């Protein structure tokens, strides 16, 4: 057989072989290809997701937050008076970098409450992020009371994605344009103790023109799967 007659036969043979391989692979399930027991796949949402569609990991890192929404409740102490702190942190507004947070503190004759809007400037999946803060807050301590616009910034440092552990530092000002300005500096550390539960501690310096107090808090945080 001459060379020019041999080449078409080899090409047809190669095409037939590839067709057979593709046909066999198309009839093979992902579990069979990986030699995994069905119960392993049923118990792994990650594997199920990958079998349905290979995820865009880079896009997930950009859009899936490295820090979670937290509902918080705990004991706190301010100026020697015990009390409670309750709030919610970083309720995400859709797939954007905007979040809403709110807090209420009560320590006998000392009360602080309000809500704010944050916008995280970097991709939500980053381990470090920063957000300007704007909102409304009321401050009442030892018969001194002020309320109004709250502005400032917050920095988040996540040790791992999903809320296993993180540290945040914020600096905000209540009524920053008049003589009743109050500065709030808050350091918060959170650590997961179960799948949807964390323990966190807050240290918050409250500086007004009539007093300077520090609030210490130990809180339980619930991470809702919203």
């Amino acid at each position: 057989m001459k060379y020019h007659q041999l080449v078409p036969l080899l090409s047809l043979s190669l095409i037939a072989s590839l067709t057979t391989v593709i046909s066999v692979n198309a009839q093979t399930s992902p579990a069979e290809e990986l030699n995994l027991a069905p119960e392993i796949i049923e118990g792994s949402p990650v594997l199920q997701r990958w079998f349905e569609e290979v995820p865009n990991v880079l896009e997930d890192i950009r859009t899936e937050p490295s820090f979670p929404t937290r509902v918080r409740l705990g004991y706190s102490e301010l100026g020697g008076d015990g009390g409670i702190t309750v709030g919610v942190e970083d309720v995400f507004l859709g797939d954007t970098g905007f979040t809403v947070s709110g807090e209420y503190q009560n320590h006998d004759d000392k009360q602080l409450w309000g809500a704010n809007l944050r916008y995280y400037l970097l991709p939500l999946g980053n381990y470090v992020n920063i957000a300007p803060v704007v909102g409304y807050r009321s401050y009442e301590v030892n018969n001194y009371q002020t309320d109004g616009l709250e502005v400032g910034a917050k920095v988040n440092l996540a040790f791992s994605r999903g809320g296993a552990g993180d540290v945040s530092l914020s600096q905000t000002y209540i009524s920053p344009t008049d003589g009743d300005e109050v500065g709030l500096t808050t350091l918060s550390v959170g650590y997961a103790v179960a799948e949807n539960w964390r323990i966190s501690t807050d240290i918050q310096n409250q500086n007004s023109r009539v007093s300077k107090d520090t609030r210490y808090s130990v809180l339980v945080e619930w991470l809702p799967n919203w």
Side-chain angles (χ1 to χ4, degrees), residues 139 144-147 174-183 208-209:
Y139 174 87
Y144 173 76
Q145 195 274 336
T146 185
D147 57 33
I174 306 171
S175 302
T177 59
D178 59 39
D180 293 332
E181 176 182 295
V182 177
S208 70
R209 64 183 180 86

Side-chain angles (χ1 to χ4, degrees), residues 29-203:
S29 69
E32 292 173 339
E33 292 180 10
L34 296 176
N35 196 26
L36 294 175
E39 56 268 20
I40 294 179
I41 297 176
E42 292 176 0
S44 174
V46 175
L47 286 175
Q48 294 174 20
R49 180 185 176 191
W50 276 73
F51 287 155
E52 291 177 1
E53 181 181 1
V54 177
N56 187 332
V57 177
L58 291 179
E59 183 64 19
D60 287 348
I61 291 174
R62 289 183 58 86
T63 59
E64 291 187 3
S66 59
F67 53 95
T69 299
R70 290 95 66 203
V71 178
R72 319 174 80 211
L73 174 63
Y75 173 82
S76 56
E77 188 172 300
L78 175 63
D81 294 324
I84 64 168
T85 295
V86 59
V88 60
E89 290 285 310
D90 290 320
V91 178
F92 291 91
L93 301 181
D95 295 327
T96 70
F98 287 99
T99 70
V100 175
S101 301
E103 183 183 50
Y104 173 75
Q105 304 173 24
N106 189 321
H107 307 84
D108 196 16
D109 61 346
K110 306 177 179 72
Q111 294 188 37
L112 185 79
W113 58 270
N116 58 51
L117 178 70
R118 303 166 185 166
Y119 178 69
Y120 288 94
L121 301 176
L122 301 177
L124 294 178
N126 280 19
Y127 288 100
V128 178
N129 219 319
I130 184 170
V133 177
V134 61
Y136 173 87
R137 196 167 294 266
S138 174
Y139 174 87
E140 183 176 356
V141 174
N142 300 327
N143 298 320
Y144 173 76
Q145 195 274 336
T146 185
D147 57 33
L149 177 69
E150 179 186 28
V151 296
K154 181 177 182 179
V155 177
N156 276 357
L157 172 61
F159 300 133
S160 64
R161 294 169 58 81
D166 52 51
V167 176
S168 67
L169 177 65
S170 67
Q171 177 66 58
T172 62
Y173 299 92
I174 306 171
S175 302
T177 59
D178 59 39
D180 293 332
E181 176 182 295
V182 177
L184 302 175
T185 305
T186 308
L187 175 66
S188 180
V189 180
Y191 185 79
V193 294
E195 182 177 0
N196 293 320
W197 295 94
R198 305 198 327 169
I199 297 294
S200 70
T201 58
D202 286 359
I203 300 176

